[in-house]
Amino acid sequence: MKIKILGTAAAEGWPGIFCECSVCQKARKLGGKNIRTRSSILIGKEHKIDFPPDTYLHLVKYNISFSRIKYLFITHAHYDHYNPSDLLMRRFPPFTRTPLPSLKIYGNSLAQRWTFDLLKIMERNFEKNFPLYNFEFQVVEPFKEFRAGNLRILPLLANHDKSQICYNYLFSTSHWSFLQAFDTGWYPEETWEKLKEIASQKAFDLVIMDCTNGKIETGKKGGHLGIKEIIEMKKKLTSQGNIKNNSRFIATHFSHGGGLLHQELEKILLPEGIEVAFDGMEINLPER
Ligand SMILES: [Zn+2]
Ligand SMILES: [Zn+2]
Ligand SMILES: [Zn+2]
């Protein structure tokens, strides 16, 4: 199964959309892996994590047909992870001239409210026309596993924004497992407990984790992680048996606020066994 990291930035993008700070200027000058769009990950061809404001850019940059996506997993209702206004373009006709396979969106109740409130404001006849959009929204519950196509999904609680339930999703088949871990803070006890419980089954093949704060230390709090905390998360996951030597561990969701460009991040994280994500990075998970 091919995992493709479409975007690796925090909310503002990197360079920040309205920012002229020194690290944003450096990113503009250096280009390459220092240019980061808002976070999203594609799993195979039918499953996608988050629907950021850069979704259209991802589509043209990577030559992906998003009409084939059947399952969309929203981590939480923050602007950089969920931009439901683009769902307007699913309407058949006139915005798509080809009928679409149905899309199932999974997320918390706030993301569900954003979806329907916004589309009703933007499209006068949305309620009447709803069948033309061919999607449905399913609110998921913490720690209640469900299936979507050929994947099993376990929603774990992140510690990111107290005003809503924020999810980190664990995706698995009988051959591989992948923990998506942005946006998160230090996990709450219930999540550590659940992770301990499932450690006996099989170690994760892949973890892609929040490193928003870069060199800024925030301690084991909610919100986001930085370098110090992601290293501690990796240590704890290793000690619990959730990851093994051959698990790939990748840092993502970087912000100019963290202050470190791609190569500077690699210099610190690679010796810790943590790879640094870049836009367009691909990982192949074993199918057997
Ligand atoms: Zn974010
Ligand atoms: Zn900046
Ligand atoms: Zn967030």
Side-chain angles (χ1 to χ4, degrees):
M1 179 72 83
K2 190 165 87 180
I3 308 284
K4 191 172 178 92
I5 307 180
L6 305 174
T8 58
E12 61 283 336
W14 199 342
I17 181 165
F18 293 112
C19 190
E20 294 291 337
C21 77
S22 61
V23 277
C24 282
Q25 289 192 30
K26 263 193 213 162
R28 282 191 183 94
K29 205 167 132 200
L30 291 169
K33 292 177 181 173
N34 295 297
I35 303 297
R36 300 183 184 276
T37 61
R38 269 65 69 87
S39 296
S40 180
I41 295 176
L42 193 61
I43 306 170
K45 290 190 169 76
E46 296 184 347
H47 299 73
K48 186 179 186 299
I49 304 168
D50 285 336
F51 195 60
D54 296 324
T55 296
Y56 183 72
L57 171 65
H58 294 159
L59 180 150
V60 289
K61 189 172 168 191
Y62 305 120
N63 192 22
I64 298 165
S65 179
F66 283 168
S67 61
R68 292 163 73 180
I69 287 162
K70 292 183 184 165
Y71 312 99
L72 180 60
F73 306 91
I74 305 302
T75 55
H76 61 302
H78 278 169
Y79 147 88
D80 53 324
H81 296 264
Y82 192 39
N83 172 41
S85 55
D86 268 349
L87 290 172
L88 280 176
M89 296 301 111
R90 285 186 63 82
R91 200 176 103 183
F92 165 71
F95 302 120
T96 166
R97 293 174 65 200
T98 50
L100 297 170
S102 67
L103 172 70
K104 199 149 181 185
I105 307 174
Y106 302 88
N108 68 21
S109 57
L110 183 61
Q112 183 188 42
R113 221 169 72 214
W114 275 21
T115 310
F116 293 98
D117 286 0
L118 191 70
L119 295 185
K120 274 182 217 162
I121 292 168
M122 296 180 91
E123 218 253 80
R124 211 172 353 121
N125 295 320
F126 178 72
E127 270 165 301
K128 190 179 125 234
N129 288 333
F130 182 58
L132 303 179
Y133 291 82
N134 201 11
F135 78 86
E136 60 177 298
F137 195 106
Q138 186 171 321
V139 175
V140 302
E141 303 287 332
F143 308 113
K144 270 201 190 147
E145 195 177 66
F146 60 94
R147 279 198 89 89
N150 52 358
L151 303 188
R152 286 196 315 275
I153 296 98
L154 178 67
L156 297 166
L157 280 182
N159 177 14
H160 175 58
D161 172 359
K162 295 259 178 287
S163 69
Q164 60 176 307
I165 299 176
C166 300
Y167 289 114
N168 283 178
Y169 294 104
L170 173 64
F171 298 88
S172 55
T173 66
S174 47
H175 304 299
W176 55 260
S177 58
F178 153 41
L179 174 65
Q180 165 270 319
F182 56 86
D183 296 356
T184 187
W186 190 259
Y187 279 142
E189 213 34 57
E190 305 127 276
T191 298
W192 284 120
E193 282 304 312
K194 188 72 191 175
L195 288 168
K196 206 187 279 174
E197 188 189 311
I198 57 179
S200 57
Q201 295 162 17
K202 190 179 170 287
F204 305 144
D205 296 280
L206 171 67
V207 177
I208 301 181
M209 186 172 274
D210 191 318
C211 195
T212 310
N213 296 328
K215 61 184 175 186
I216 312 292
E217 275 183 40
T218 51
K220 291 177 180 176
K221 289 190 307 217
H224 288 293
L225 306 171
I227 285 169
K228 187 164 181 281
E229 295 82 22
I230 198 175
I231 291 170
E232 284 180 43
M233 289 284 264
K234 183 170 180 262
K235 271 192 193 135
K236 178 146 182 176
L237 286 167
T238 307
S239 73
Q240 290 202 160
N242 292 113
I243 53 171
K244 295 250 157 71
N245 280 343
N246 56 356
S247 307
R248 284 184 75 176
F249 203 98
I250 301 176
T252 192
H253 197 279
F254 298 105
S255 163
H256 60 168
L260 298 172
L261 293 157
H262 188 82
Q263 278 194 338
E264 297 167 324
L265 287 161
E266 279 195 329
K267 224 168 137 183
I268 302 170
L269 290 173
L270 283 179
E272 301 289 339
I274 302 175
E275 298 171 68
V276 177
F278 54 88
D279 285 25
M281 185 180 196
E282 290 181 0
I283 301 105
N284 277 306
L285 292 175
E287 285 300 348
R288 56 176 135 172

